[in-house]
């Protein structure tokens, strides 16, 4: 099965089989959760509390929305659509 290399296959654009995670989607998730971690460390250094949990859940929901396919370009992601609208 892996004896022949077919040219033209880009491993970075290849869609994986597990929940369609590409490297771009993984990078978006890492960036959003990194920002969430920094916000939690700066706003709630000692006790997260209920507002910290609300922040974590809302940023997880935001990350889920940002990696969905965009409506105008199914090969693009929602964060690209939002950035295109802002810029």
């Amino acid at each position: 099965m892996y004896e022949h290399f077919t040219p033209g296959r880009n491993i970075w654009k290849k869609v994986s089989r597990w929940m369609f995670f590409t490297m771009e989607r993984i990078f978006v998730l890492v960036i959003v959760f990194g920002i969430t971690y920094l916000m939690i460390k700066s706003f709630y250094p000692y006790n997260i509390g209920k507002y910290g949990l609300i922040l974590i859940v809302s940023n997880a929901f935001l990350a889920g929305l940002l990696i969905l396919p965009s409506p105008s370009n199914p090969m693009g992601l929602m964060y690209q659509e939002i950035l295109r609208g802002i810029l």
Side-chain angles (χ1 to χ4, degrees):
M1 181 172 176
Y2 294 105
E3 296 171 358
H4 302 287
F5 176 73
T6 55
R9 293 190 136 182
N10 188 351
I11 63 168
W12 298 106
K13 293 286 185 178
K14 183 179 177 187
V15 177
S16 65
R17 295 173 191 246
W18 192 72
M19 294 184 60
F20 298 104
F21 277 136
T22 58
M23 291 304 289
E24 187 178 18
R25 287 182 171 151
I26 292 172
F27 288 146
V28 169
L29 290 176
V30 166
I31 289 170
V32 170
F33 286 124
I35 291 171
T36 304
Y37 176 75
L38 292 175
M39 289 172 68
I40 290 295
K41 292 293 279 184
S42 64
F43 294 151
Y44 307 104
Y46 300 111
N47 186 10
I48 293 177
K50 64 180 178 181
Y51 294 115
L53 291 177
I54 291 171
L55 178 68
I56 292 170
V57 169
S58 64
N59 281 358
F61 183 70
L62 174 68
L65 289 177
L66 288 177
I67 64 171
L68 289 175
S70 66
S72 65
N73 180 14
M75 297 305 288
L77 300 179
M78 275 301 293
Y79 85 92
Q80 295 168 341
E81 190 80 17
I82 292 169
L83 285 178
R84 192 177 308 125
I86 291 173
L87 298 176

